[in-house]
């Protein structure tokens, strides 16, 4: 078998066989296929795509290129969740304890943030003492005892994805729906849960900018999960407005705690309830309406918050900062961003909000950047809100005073103010299962 022929076949729009796909991944990992050949292959896939079967085989081969985590030492069915990434997306911190408080098991491996999007592991590490690297025994024991643990991805999870992603990053092939789907799902399959809920973000702060592309990505990922015999579903959720009010690691943990205590912002609370309910549904805890009720109950009676406390304590975190969030270390510098005009907020460029937060030190400009946990943004006025000239739009926090002006300029450019109140937006736009899409809004 020659990689030249496989590239040529895909270049002409041919359908690759299972053997060709498996050879391609194995030979690439073992160094028999050069980076320039794999790059050509990725570009051929970018133009020609892959059908659901090719994609399922590619994803399995990528997953099997490293460790396949065996979660059978944890009793019962396990459910995983993945967000395609956004700004202010702290849902994992809320959703995982909700599911555990309802009797579900979540053995979760999460990633770090890069660029304008945040990562769950960075947020958790904002809690003093929190360990996000546990031995396998400790990870399993924590999930068995508490129902949940969240750790960073182990070094050898889907190494083929790591190698392929590095090429995609420099060959303009990141923005391919089949390549994104196989990349995300290879890690989810390797992580070993029985059920997978995908939160596909759509809008200006997301990978997928349009609803149509978000549905296509969700369908591809659901097809891959189902082919691998995992119960898989996806929610398409809005990322044209940052989620909640807090952007930045400690600020987001504080907002997650407020939400777990029933005092969170409405948008964040609602998205968390729907995500948790869908995870419980995949675990067969009831129909969607029953699962929503269960999720609301554990938020309102404090048991989801107590699960979060138990999980953080088991992972070495200082729970006193969760019981009294005033104890979180504070950023030494802050600045209010004021409105230049009267009107309504008619648009928020979420990517720019994320970039402003990164400039303040809350995110990584490159892989080696060091995060400032106390840096970030508290948004006081959001899409649809009425504002007066001189009124506060947001407060910026940082450890580097010299960054404030640049972040303020970027943040100001992210907010558009118009004279007419804009239409309310839907938070949850659709739900995707195998051969089924439920749309929750009209239009598009
Ligand atoms: N996240 C991933 O893990 N992979 C992609 O290709 C895009 C987003």
């Amino acid at each position: 078998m020659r990689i030249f022929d496989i590239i040529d076949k895909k270049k002409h729009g041919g359908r690759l066989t299972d053997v060709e796909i498996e050879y391609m991944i194995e030979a690439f990992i073992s160094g028999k296929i050069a980076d320039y050949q794999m790059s050509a292959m990725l570009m051929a896939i970018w133009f020609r795509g892959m059908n659901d079967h090719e994609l399922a085989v590619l994803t399995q081969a990528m997953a099997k290129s490293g460790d396949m985590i065996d979660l059978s030492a944890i009793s019962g069915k396990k459910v995983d969740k993945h967000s395609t990434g956004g700004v202010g997306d702290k849902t994992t911190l809320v959703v995982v304890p909700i599911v555990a408080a309802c009797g579900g098991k979540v053995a979760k491996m999460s990633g770090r943030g890069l660029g304008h999007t945040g990562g769950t592991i960075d947020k958790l590490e904002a809690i003093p003492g929190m360990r996000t690297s546990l031995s396998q025994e400790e990870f399993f024991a924590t999930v068995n005892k508490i129902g949940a643990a969240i750790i960073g991805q182990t070094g050898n999870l889907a190494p083929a994805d790591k190698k392929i992603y590095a090429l995609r990053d420099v060959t303009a092939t990141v923005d391919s729906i089949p390549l994104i789907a196989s990349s995300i799902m290879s890690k989810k399959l390797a992580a070993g849960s029985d059920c997978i809920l995908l939160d596909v973000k759509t809008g200006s702060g997301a990978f997928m900018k349009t609803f149509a592309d978000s549905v296509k990505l969700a369908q591809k990922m659901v097809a891959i999960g189902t082919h691998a015999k995992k119960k898989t579903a996806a929610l398409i959720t809005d990322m044209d407005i940052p989620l909640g009010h807090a952007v930045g690691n400690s600020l987001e943990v504080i907002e997650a705690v407020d939400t777990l205590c029933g005092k969170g912002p409405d948008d964040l609370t609602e998205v968390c309830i729907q995500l948790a309910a869908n995870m419980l549904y995949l675990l067969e805890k009831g129909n969607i309406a029953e699962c929503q009720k269960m999720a609301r109950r554990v938020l309102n009676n404090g048991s989801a918050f107590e699960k979060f406390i138990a999980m953080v304590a088991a992972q070495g975190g200082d729970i006193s900062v969760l019981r009294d969030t005033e104890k979180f270390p504070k950023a030494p510098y802050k600045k209010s961003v004021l409105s230049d005009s009267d009107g309504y907020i008619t648009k928020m460029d979420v990517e720019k909000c994320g970039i402003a937060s990164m400039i303040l030190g809350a995110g990584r400009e490159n892989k080696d950047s060091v995060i400032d946990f106390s840096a970030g943004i508290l948004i006081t006025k959001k899409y649809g809100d009425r504002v007066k000239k001189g009124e506060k739009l947001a407060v910026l926090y940082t450890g580097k005073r010299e960054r404030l002006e640049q972040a303020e300029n970027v943040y100001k450019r992210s907010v558009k103010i118009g004279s007419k109140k804009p239409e309310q937006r839907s938070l949850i736009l659709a739900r995707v299962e195998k051969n089924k899409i439920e749309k929750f809004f009209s239009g598009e």
Side-chain angles (χ1 to χ4, degrees):
M1 200 169 301
R2 292 194 320 154
I3 186 65
F4 180 96
D5 301 322
I6 305 175
I7 298 169
D8 196 48
K9 187 175 181 186
K10 185 45 79 185
K11 183 182 80 183
H12 288 101
R15 183 187 159 167
L16 304 185
T17 65
D18 297 7
V19 177
E20 285 167 338
I21 294 169
E22 282 156 6
Y23 164 76
M24 177 175 88
I25 296 300
E26 267 171 43
F28 180 54
I29 282 292
S30 63
K32 287 189 211 120
I33 291 177
D35 283 359
Y36 53 82
Q37 291 170 309
M38 193 51 146
S39 300
M41 185 70 210
L42 294 169
M43 191 57 87
I45 296 173
W46 193 97
F47 277 105
R48 293 297 191 171
M50 276 190 148
N51 69 22
D52 283 357
H53 183 80
E54 286 175 294
L55 205 49
V57 176
L58 173 69
T59 310
Q60 290 273 10
M62 287 165 66
K64 287 181 185 155
S65 66
D67 298 339
M68 295 291 280
I69 312 287
D70 175 4
L71 297 180
S72 58
I74 302 170
S75 61
K77 279 200 180 147
K78 278 70 66 179
V79 62
D80 200 351
K81 158 198 181 274
H82 180 83
S83 159
T84 57
V87 173
D89 180 3
K90 66 283 290 172
T91 55
T92 295
L93 304 184
V94 181
V95 164
V96 168
I98 294 179
V99 173
C102 294
K105 294 267 171 63
V106 194
K108 177 122 188 64
M109 289 188 181
S110 287
R112 294 184 185 277
L114 187 61
H116 76 279
T117 61
T120 299
I121 292 302
D122 298 324
K123 294 173 211 214
L124 282 174
E125 288 179 355
I127 303 170
M130 185 76 179
R131 290 183 301 126
T132 57
S133 170
L134 304 181
S135 70
Q136 205 165 74
E137 292 70 33
E138 211 181 343
F139 180 45
F140 293 172
T142 307
V143 183
N144 263 329
K145 184 163 167 228
I146 290 155
I150 307 176
I151 59 170
Q153 265 159 25
T154 66
N156 202 33
L157 203 74
D161 172 59
K162 212 172 181 176
K163 226 178 145 190
I164 290 172
Y165 196 92
L167 289 185
R168 288 169 58 205
D169 215 13
V170 292
T171 56
T173 48
V174 167
D175 59 342
S176 149
I177 288 176
L179 294 178
I180 295 173
S182 56
S183 166
I184 292 173
M185 291 304 287
S186 62
K187 289 168 284 202
K188 293 288 114 185
L189 298 187
S193 285
D194 309 286
C195 313
I196 303 167
L197 180 73
L198 301 157
D199 178 7
V200 179
K201 301 281 181 203
T202 189
S204 63
F207 248 100
M208 297 290 117
K209 307 289 182 208
T210 67
F211 177 70
D213 278 349
S214 306
V215 170
K216 274 188 215 152
L217 177 62
Q219 285 175 316
K220 289 282 180 204
M221 293 197 288
V222 168
I224 292 168
T226 309
H227 184 274
K229 305 210 165 17
K230 310 275 182 190
K231 277 193 88 171
T232 311
L235 291 185
I236 315 271
T237 67
D238 185 60
M239 198 29 81
D240 245 345
I241 311 173
L243 198 52
H245 296 284
V247 183
N249 299 285
S250 325
L251 297 172
E252 292 193 42
V253 175
I254 295 169
E255 190 167 71
V257 167
D258 287 345
T259 307
L260 283 164
C261 294
K263 296 178 294 185
D266 291 347
D267 61 345
L268 176 63
T269 303
E270 196 49 36
V271 170
C272 290
I273 297 272
Q274 299 308 332
L275 291 170
N278 275 276
M279 289 167 79
L280 293 165
Y281 170 78
L282 292 175
L283 287 172
E284 298 174 0
K285 299 275 181 199
N287 62 32
I288 293 278
E290 288 162 345
C291 292
Q292 287 168 349
K293 224 167 150 182
M294 261 189 265
R296 280 189 211 284
R297 189 167 57 234
V298 297
L299 265 195
N300 294 334
N301 70 13
S303 54
F305 178 57
E306 290 307 324
K307 273 290 172 202
F308 187 55
I309 294 275
M311 183 189 84
V312 170
Q315 295 188 220
D318 175 3
I319 57 169
S320 75
V321 299
L322 304 180
R323 297 238 181 250
D324 176 7
T325 54
E326 282 296 315
K327 287 188 177 166
F328 266 100
K330 302 243 178 340
Y333 306 106
K334 66 176 187 173
K335 187 174 204 299
S336 296
V337 182
L338 306 180
S339 174
D340 290 330
S341 51
D342 290 335
Y344 292 94
I345 299 190
T346 54
K347 190 167 168 41
M348 296 183 83
D349 182 328
V350 179
E351 189 167 337
K352 283 206 182 86
C353 298
I355 292 170
S357 167
M358 185 180 74
I359 291 168
L360 292 166
R364 287 188 185 79
E365 282 169 48
N366 56 57
K367 287 194 186 91
D368 303 320
S369 309
V370 176
I371 291 214
D372 172 358
F373 290 126
S374 61
I377 305 172
L378 273 183
I379 300 171
T380 39
K381 294 285 178 186
K382 284 181 71 172
Y383 174 87
D385 286 345
R386 188 167 165 69
V387 291
K388 290 205 175 102
K389 188 171 173 182
E391 203 175 357
K392 204 190 291 173
L393 297 175
V395 185
L396 311 179
Y397 296 88
T398 185
K400 292 188 176 142
R401 197 200 316 232
E402 67 281 9
R403 301 278 181 105
L404 284 169
E405 197 181 323
Q406 190 193 356
E408 182 186 21
N409 289 336
V410 173
Y411 190 82
K412 265 197 172 163
R413 272 188 275 125
S414 78
V415 178
K416 294 270 168 295
I417 296 175
S419 55
K420 249 178 76 185
K421 187 171 170 67
E423 272 177 28
Q424 208 177 337
R425 298 183 57 86
S426 305
L427 279 172
I428 317 279
L429 291 97
R431 181 168 188 285
V432 178
E433 274 186 283
K434 190 169 182 251
N435 303 326
K436 187 173 159 193
I437 304 179
E438 279 173 90
K439 229 171 89 176
F440 303 127
F441 71 110
S442 53
E444 272 193 81

